[in-house]
Amino acid sequence: MPDPKYPALPAMTGQFTSFAEATAVRQIDSHTYSASLQDDWSVGNVPHGGIVTSVFLQVASKHFATTLRASGQPHTIALHLDFLRRTQAGPAKLVVKDLKLGRQTSVIHITLIQDDREEVSGTLTHSNIRTESGLSLDTGYSLHPPRVPVDTSKLRGGTDPNWALLESVAQPKFRKAYTKVTTWLPRQGQQHYSLADEWITFSTGERFTNESLGFVCDVWPLPIRPQNKPHWLPTLVLNLDIKKALPAGGVEFLFVRVQTKRVVNGRFDLEVVIMDEEGDIVALSHHAGLILGAERNLASRAEREKL
């Protein structure tokens, strides 16, 4: 049962909630926040790991705008999450601990709790990207193979010669969170079996901000697709390195490349590169996850805890 001392935001009714609604957080006291994880941002019965990550980013943003406002460090620059147990749609409490408050960077720890269970644990580092100073070097890095050219003004009209709209999401009733973005894939197919490229925009009409990068880094076409039956790919560990502060009003489109290097015994890795229309790196992410049958997701809570 929800803790009456920490009232959660109300669960949204109906079939549709926006990203802002799904990641809304309420400050209860200086180090405690509440949220409500929404069913329509889930995969099966489990809230999507990316939306949970964005809830953590929202909590950190609010914490540094209120309790730690004097630090002048509004931007998450690094995040590490451990998904200890499956979350569920409904109320959640998020408890913050200030680990290190510094002049240039500060570090906080956040724990997401549901029904007295610690389900996700995360460490976030904050700074001020807009006022950073120090050594900058051009490393000469570029994607390999290069991303296919795009004219984003032609994506919505379907006239870009290199990118085609993904007409429908596979298993949309199971993969509900994936219906929250509109996706374009290379018309000639992916350039290598181990990677997948996409351009995305919110289907909710919203724009991508830094707080939405948690969702963006976890919503992708899987490079290597499991065969034979529906699968669920729960995240074990997620790391996010944010390189750039997006405009305050957000951006409409982001490019995502996801690549896996090894899939062994139901365990896989993912490397994610997020870029803007100018080709600048916005964020990098690395994931470790499992490949399980969809029935593990849909099982009762007691059965699922055996994972």
Side-chain angles (χ1 to χ4, degrees):
M1 296 293 291
D3 189 330
K5 293 188 295 182
Y6 304 108
L9 293 167
M12 302 294 172
T13 59
Q15 297 291 319
F16 177 88
T17 58
S18 67
F19 175 81
E21 291 167 334
T23 59
V25 297
R26 176 182 294 162
Q27 187 173 37
I28 304 303
D29 58 39
S30 65
H31 287 76
T32 310
Y33 301 81
S34 65
S36 184
L37 304 182
Q38 302 298 323
D39 178 70
D40 62 323
W41 289 81
S42 297
V43 175
N45 291 337
V46 182
H48 185 266
I51 204 67
V52 172
T53 304
S54 280
V55 168
F56 271 70
L57 290 170
Q58 293 283 21
V59 169
S61 179
K62 186 173 285 289
H63 192 64
F64 277 88
T66 54
T67 303
L68 299 182
R69 183 177 181 178
S71 71
Q73 298 166 348
H75 305 119
T76 301
I77 59 172
L79 169 150
H80 170 90
L81 292 188
D82 289 290
F83 291 81
L84 308 175
R85 300 174 181 85
R86 262 68 56 84
T87 56
Q88 61 191 10
K93 179 174 71 174
L94 296 106
V95 178
V96 180
K97 181 179 180 181
D98 303 330
L99 297 182
K100 175 245 181 181
L101 303 180
R103 181 179 60 84
Q104 186 170 1
T105 64
S106 295
V107 183
I108 63 173
H109 181 270
I110 303 175
T111 304
L112 185 149
I113 301 168
Q114 290 184 302
D115 295 339
D116 296 324
R117 291 184 299 268
E118 294 186 359
E119 296 185 329
V120 186
S121 174
T123 304
L124 296 87
T125 302
H126 262 237
S127 185
N128 191 323
I129 295 176
R130 301 194 191 282
T131 62
E132 284 178 327
S133 62
L135 178 66
S136 297
L137 296 172
D138 182 357
T139 66
Y141 170 81
S142 62
L143 291 176
H144 181 76
R147 71 181 188 183
V148 177
V150 67
D151 182 344
T152 54
S153 68
K154 296 181 178 180
L155 288 177
R156 290 192 183 276
T159 58
D160 185 275
N162 297 314
W163 295 85
L165 175 68
L166 178 64
E167 297 285 354
S168 61
V169 174
Q171 301 172 323
K173 292 183 179 180
F174 180 73
R175 302 170 74 242
K176 291 166 283 190
Y178 288 81
T179 67
K180 300 297 185 175
V181 292
T182 302
T183 303
W184 290 266
L185 303 177
R187 289 188 184 275
Q188 301 304 316
Q190 301 295 350
Q191 300 185 71
H192 191 272
Y193 181 65
S194 68
L195 65 81
D197 290 347
E198 64 177 356
W199 281 94
I200 59 172
T201 189
F202 271 128
S203 61
T204 61
E206 296 162 289
R207 295 171 72 86
F208 295 122
T209 62
N210 276 49
E211 287 71 30
S212 63
L213 293 175
F215 182 64
V216 171
C217 80
D218 201 28
V219 59
W220 24 255
L222 185 66
I224 297 177
R225 300 180 181 277
Q227 303 297 317
N228 302 325
K229 64 176 183 177
H231 280 76
W232 173 46
L233 286 76
T235 302
L236 296 175
V237 175
L238 186 153
N239 292 287
L240 180 62
D241 176 4
I242 299 177
K243 301 292 189 182
K244 181 175 183 177
L246 295 174
V251 298
E252 184 178 5
F253 297 100
L254 285 172
F255 170 83
V256 181
R257 169 170 290 180
V258 57
Q259 187 165 18
T260 186
K261 297 178 174 63
R262 193 163 166 81
V263 180
V264 179
N265 298 325
R267 186 162 55 89
F268 70 100
D269 61 89
L270 286 175
E271 178 183 75
V272 184
V273 180
I274 302 170
M275 291 180 162
D276 60 17
E277 293 183 57
E278 289 71 42
D280 287 339
I281 295 176
V282 175
L284 304 172
S285 184
H286 290 84
H287 304 219
L290 298 177
I291 302 175
L292 303 173
E295 69 278 0
R296 297 288 292 274
N297 175 296
L298 300 172
S300 67
R301 181 91 200 192
E303 292 174 322
R304 288 190 286 124
E305 288 299 326
K306 296 176 184 178
L307 173 62

